[in-house]
Amino acid sequence: MKKTPIIALIGNPNSGKSSLFNQLTGLRQKVGNFPSVTVEKKSGPLMLEGQTEATVVDLPGLYSLYPKALDEQVVIDILANPHHEDYPDVVVVVADASNLKRNLLIFTQVADLGLPVVLALNMLDVAEDKNLQVNAVKLAMKLNVPVVRINARVGEGLDNLKKAIVQTLEKPTSFQKYYFDPAEQFPELIKEVKKSSQLANNYLALHYVQQHDIFSFLSTEKRVGFDKLIEKYDFKESGFQAAETMHRYAVIDGLVKESVKTTDNFLVKPLWTQRLDNILLHPFWGYAVFFLVLLTIFQAVFTLASYPMDMIDAGIASFNDWLKETLPPGLFTDLLTDGLVAGIGGVVIFIPQIAFLFLLVALLEESGYMARVMVIMDKLMRRFGLNGKSVVPLISGVACAVPAIMSARSIGNRKERLLTILVTPLMSCSARLPIFTILIALVVPATPVLGFFTLQGLTLMGLYLLGLLSALLSAWVIKGWVANTEKGYFVMEMPTYKVPRWYHVGLAVWDSVKSFVTEAGKIIVAISIILWVLATYGPGDSIEKAEEQVKQENPMLQGTELDNAIAAQKLENSYAGHFGKFIEPAIAPLGYDWKIGIALLASFAAREVFVGTMSTIYSIGSEADEDNGTIKARMRAEINPKTGKPMYTPALAFSLLIFYVFAMMCMSTIATVYRETHGWKWPLIQLAYMTVLAYGLAFLTYQLLS
Ligand code: GDP
Ligand code: MG
């Protein structure tokens, strides 16, 4: 039996491919209402009729088979290579019916490759809003392929689409004629290529001539061979490509005229879309609205999320107390309560904030507003050597730098892409959020500002803006050091405004919470246990001696105070304590003591560990009494032994905040930058400059504030 057939989804960015993919496979590929959401191919199973299983492959969007950016190259690399594991048996070209002319370009190219094609007409509802009537039957007759009307957003027309796929698999429509035949102008060249590479298709042969450099499956000798051919026939690559595109558009123009009717020529955009765009893209009001939107988001993260957070915090504290009372006292109970539960509590408590943040960001993405933000930011970005498309990585960086850095693949210009990768980790990711909020809540009062906002919300936004600002400034500084070989450009098409789909928004929230809990959770649990061991045991009999030591030094202490002092001394004498003391001299200028030193070290692998570590350390360092249970309360109760005053002064808290704004405490990001830049040079440079920034600015902050 033949292997399962491959169905590839190809089409313009934002035409609905990933939505269709999700509908067909039941999987959850990320969908967003702006171009270049998908940067990697993704496959999933599809049940066709009669229990035939097929594999659907969702591909990055592209306007033409000549790729402009890295993410688009994968498409032609597959289509030009019949031996590729994803080489399609049927291509479904997903076309935005409200913009048919531009969407048909890629259709004619795929059809010219001789691939069996089904045309899926999507966004018909949008077309209707623009007063466009698309005649699918006429189009099918003209194009000589099955044309199916679908709505990928709600899943209409899927049965017909599947039928068309099966029909095409069983009996592909025979190839009739090229929309554009390169052999008309270069018969000898095409003939020679077809012979030497054993190709049957003229247009495929043309792509071997035009794009052999990016074909991963060709040997170097073959590539050199093509270069010689180009010289021999005096073939002008870019000129010919332009001529091809012009020719195709001329053909498509005729097709569209016959199959699309406009009931009203004037209303290309609905009036309210235009009105909204006039404001949101306005050189002043656009920024003002964006600023207000940001402010509202951060305030909501603070205010609304604080209710569930307080509940979780208190719940975990009382659960821990209950465990301590119920279980027999001993090492195991300590490990469970002070190590594990305290550490896990440090993760769980931040779920409401992360969920809120991503709920709001997903709403912006789905509604189409994010695309407007990219446009107004392009001018600004350019000044710093970046590109309007850098906004996507930068904004995704607020969630996590790892997928954000990968999404930079959609930036065509090599230099702008590299700069974007280098500065994206400065955007405050969700792992920083817990650190920010807990420290802000400790030292910044919740004073109301302008009614709805509070000082805490403003401070939080300030930290995020600081991240953004430093990302832009770093790009501007590094810009001078990276050679530029290509010209950058920014083409971005405005998607229509759409009512967000709650299902997609829900998924986005669920995914971010899930990955925070599982990814961060794994590390945090592991580190909490290791840390508990390191904080409970010490070299030689130093732990046992702690009690004597305290009693000798402070003979007056009694009761809880004595217990606390002994616990603190034990921690100091432990392995972790020695560790912290060892690095204390290096971090003392920033205002940190050895306990914070332990947390810094532990969070080097991933910053989300910081709060969990603090909570483990402080629960070991002090015997929990009633109102001392929550992390915040423990941090608030921490006394600086040198001054006798609370440890967490504004100077210390801000010094830590600044440190975490800049420090590259994340192994996964380093690994991702290594992968995306193919070497250690850039990740190491990035690690170095971020560390220097973090240390230097935290130092300044502490010295200035104290
Ligand atoms: P891709 O870039 O081609 O993968 O497109 P996506 O699947 O990410 O979809 C882009 C946006 O279009 C999302 O906001 C979808 O919800 C929306 N969308 C997809 N299909 C339709 C449709 O038929 N009608 C409307 N109105 N919106 C759609
Ligand atoms: Mg997509």
Side-chain angles (χ1 to χ4, degrees):
M1 218 192 86
K2 194 188 170 291
K3 69 172 178 60
T4 56
I6 306 266
I7 319 293
L9 305 183
I10 290 182
N12 287 183
N14 218 32
S15 60
K17 297 173 300 300
S18 299
S19 304
L20 179 61
F21 176 85
N22 291 351
Q23 294 282 2
L24 291 175
T25 60
L27 294 176
R28 305 159 171 174
Q29 168 79 299
K30 181 165 165 51
V31 165
N33 192 12
F34 55 90
S36 313
V37 178
T38 313
V39 289
E40 278 185 313
K41 65 178 164 95
K42 183 159 178 185
S43 18
L46 164 68
M47 268 305 167
L48 294 170
E49 63 186 17
Q51 297 301 303
T52 332
E53 202 182 288
T55 304
V56 191
V57 186
D58 182 22
L59 292 163
L62 66 179
Y63 294 106
S64 116
L65 283 183
Y66 297 97
K68 300 237 162 28
L70 214 55
D71 58 339
E72 299 175 1
Q73 290 182 3
V74 44
V75 179
I76 185 70
D77 202 45
I78 293 174
L79 295 188
N81 175 14
H83 302 294
H84 196 286
E85 53 165 356
D86 289 321
Y87 186 75
D89 297 277
V90 173
V91 175
V92 175
V93 172
V94 182
D96 174 351
S98 71
N99 208 334
L100 203 56
K101 186 175 165 189
R102 202 203 52 217
N103 278 254
L104 283 182
L105 179 70
I106 186 90
F107 167 85
T108 65
Q109 290 181 324
V110 173
D112 275 353
L113 287 177
L115 288 159
V117 193
V118 172
L119 179 64
L121 281 182
N122 194 31
M123 308 260 182
L124 288 155
D125 51 332
V126 182
E128 213 156 284
D129 287 346
K130 290 188 182 173
N131 296 307
L132 297 171
Q133 300 284 338
V134 185
N135 188 334
V137 178
K138 216 170 217 175
L139 210 51
M141 272 157 44
K142 291 277 165 203
L143 302 177
N144 192 33
V145 298
V147 177
V148 188
R149 302 167 66 95
I150 62 164
N151 184 328
R153 192 162 139 101
V154 297
E156 275 168 17
L158 297 188
D159 285 338
N160 286 339
L161 179 62
K162 285 188 205 168
K163 274 194 201 122
I165 292 174
V166 172
Q167 185 197 327
T168 312
L169 273 175
E170 284 167 358
K171 194 169 145 292
T173 32
S174 53
F175 188 80
Q176 286 196 323
K177 80 185 241 296
Y178 293 103
Y179 291 92
F180 172 81
D181 186 0
E184 281 175 14
Q185 286 181 58
F186 286 90
E188 298 300 321
L189 168 66
I190 297 295
K191 206 163 137 198
E192 202 169 330
V193 173
K194 275 167 78 173
K195 202 171 142 211
S196 66
S197 298
Q198 288 156 359
L199 305 173
N201 182 290
N202 294 355
Y203 188 55
L204 184 56
L206 174 67
H207 277 281
Y208 273 64
V209 176
Q210 291 269 32
Q211 315 213 55
H212 52 269
D213 274 338
I214 59 166
F215 287 171
S216 62
F217 52 90
L218 286 186
S219 65
T220 323
E221 296 139 53
K222 283 230 155 171
R223 291 183 195 182
V224 174
F226 283 113
D227 288 334
K228 286 197 184 126
L229 277 180
I230 288 177
E231 229 167 274
K232 178 172 159 196
Y233 288 98
D234 191 25
F235 178 80
K236 299 274 184 300
E237 287 146 289
S238 63
F240 198 74
Q241 187 194 325
E244 174 190 335
T245 309
M246 303 258 286
H247 178 88
R248 284 182 191 279
Y249 272 131
V251 177
I252 293 169
D253 243 355
L255 286 168
V256 170
K257 278 212 183 82
E258 286 178 58
S259 47
V260 181
K261 267 203 235 140
T262 339
T263 34
D264 188 342
N265 270 328
F266 290 99
L267 291 179
V268 180
K269 274 187 192 173
L271 202 57
W272 62 270
T273 303
Q274 265 174 14
R275 288 214 180 118
L276 207 53
D277 271 353
N278 285 347
I279 301 172
L280 296 183
L281 298 176
H282 188 273
F284 173 77
W285 292 113
Y287 287 106
V289 170
F290 183 43
F291 192 75
L292 211 69
V293 167
L294 282 184
L295 196 57
T296 310
I297 289 180
F298 292 119
Q299 189 58 46
V301 165
F302 236 102
T303 340
L304 298 179
S306 70
Y307 302 104
M309 284 179 74
D310 286 345
M311 275 162 55
I312 294 175
D313 202 7
I316 285 179
S318 56
F319 176 62
N320 227 349
D321 287 346
W322 176 81
L323 276 181
K324 279 188 183 169
E325 276 162 28
T326 320
L327 296 175
L331 271 184
F332 175 73
T333 307
D334 283 353
L335 171 62
L336 198 65
T337 55
D338 292 341
L340 214 52
V341 176
I344 293 176
V347 185
V348 175
I349 186 170
F350 295 103
I351 291 177
Q353 276 180 340
I354 286 168
F356 264 104
L357 183 65
F358 287 101
L359 175 72
L360 297 168
V361 171
L363 286 180
L364 296 190
E365 289 187 355
E366 274 280 300
S367 62
Y369 179 60
M370 208 58 114
R372 271 76 189 174
V373 173
M374 288 180 213
V375 172
I376 57 172
M377 294 296 272
D378 182 54
K379 259 205 209 108
L380 192 72
M381 292 290 156
R382 245 160 229 298
R383 254 179 239 164
F384 297 97
L386 299 168
N387 181 301
K389 281 198 179 162
S390 310
V391 175
V392 180
L394 290 183
I395 290 180
S396 326
V398 170
C400 174
V402 172
I405 286 172
M406 284 167 57
S407 71
R409 286 182 199 171
S410 70
I411 299 171
N413 177 291
R414 195 192 73 91
K415 176 175 177 177
E416 290 169 353
R417 174 164 173 262
L418 183 62
L419 282 181
T420 308
I421 291 177
L422 289 179
V423 304
T424 293
L426 285 167
M427 296 300 290
S428 288
C429 66
S430 61
R432 287 173 173 107
L433 185 62
I435 307 174
F436 288 176
T437 49
I438 204 157
L439 291 169
I440 290 176
L442 273 182
V443 296
V444 178
T447 320
V449 180
L450 296 176
F452 175 64
F453 306 111
T454 65
L455 218 49
Q456 294 183 333
L458 288 176
T459 311
L460 184 63
M461 183 172 94
L463 290 173
Y464 274 81
L465 286 182
L466 183 64
L468 173 66
L469 203 72
S470 55
L472 294 179
L473 283 179
S474 322
W476 185 75
V477 172
I478 308 171
K479 181 171 87 164
W481 296 338
V482 184
N484 193 8
T485 46
E486 309 139 58
K487 198 166 170 304
Y489 54 88
F490 173 66
V491 200
M492 161 109 181
E493 185 207 338
M494 279 300 101
T496 47
Y497 291 104
K498 294 197 168 79
V499 178
R501 291 224 47 207
W502 293 107
Y503 176 71
H504 286 150
V505 173
L507 276 184
V509 172
W510 170 247
D511 279 350
S512 51
V513 168
K514 198 178 78 182
S515 73
F516 178 77
V517 172
T518 51
E519 299 297 309
K522 261 184 279 175
I523 306 177
I524 290 176
V525 169
I527 292 196
S528 299
I529 295 177
I530 296 174
L531 206 70
W532 179 85
V533 171
L534 290 178
T536 307
Y537 297 94
D541 58 351
S542 53
I543 296 282
E544 287 77 47
K545 276 203 204 126
E547 195 167 336
E548 271 173 50
Q549 214 176 327
V550 170
K551 282 184 179 154
Q552 262 174 19
E553 282 169 19
N554 302 297
M556 315 295 287
L557 288 180
Q558 268 179 354
T560 339
E561 276 188 9
L562 178 64
D563 291 343
N564 282 350
I566 293 175
Q569 190 61 49
K570 279 187 181 162
L571 179 62
E572 204 167 337
N573 290 4
S574 69
Y575 288 111
H578 283 283
F579 224 38
K581 292 256 168 186
F582 176 70
I583 65 161
E584 198 176 48
I587 55 175
L590 314 185
Y592 311 157
D593 66 352
W594 54 276
K595 285 187 186 175
I596 297 175
I598 300 174
L600 282 186
L601 275 181
S603 68
F604 188 70
R607 15 176 121 75
E608 51 268 46
V609 172
F610 181 81
V611 177
T613 307
M614 291 307 246
S615 118
T616 307
I617 290 175
Y618 289 133
S619 57
I620 293 175
S622 66
E623 291 297 303
D625 47 40
E626 257 150 56
D627 47 56
N628 213 8
T630 67
I631 308 173
K632 234 190 273 176
R634 283 195 207 115
M635 289 174 77
R636 192 166 279 143
E638 181 72 5
I639 298 292
N640 185 341
K642 288 188 197 104
T643 59
K645 298 216 178 80
M647 180 75 197
Y648 285 87
T649 57
L652 171 63
F654 277 102
S655 160
L656 268 174
L657 284 172
I658 296 295
F659 185 85
Y660 275 98
V661 166
F662 293 102
M664 160 68 111
M665 315 275 271
C666 181
M667 295 293 195
S668 321
T669 304
I670 296 179
T672 308
V673 175
Y674 167 74
R675 205 179 57 211
E676 296 287 310
T677 60
H678 308 294
W680 281 114
K681 177 178 163 194
W682 293 109
L684 289 179
I685 290 179
Q686 191 176 28
L687 176 65
Y689 90 77
M690 287 179 70
T691 309
V692 170
L693 268 183
Y695 190 92
L697 292 174
F699 174 76
L700 272 184
T701 309
Y702 185 71
Q703 300 300 333
L704 287 179
L705 288 183
S706 60

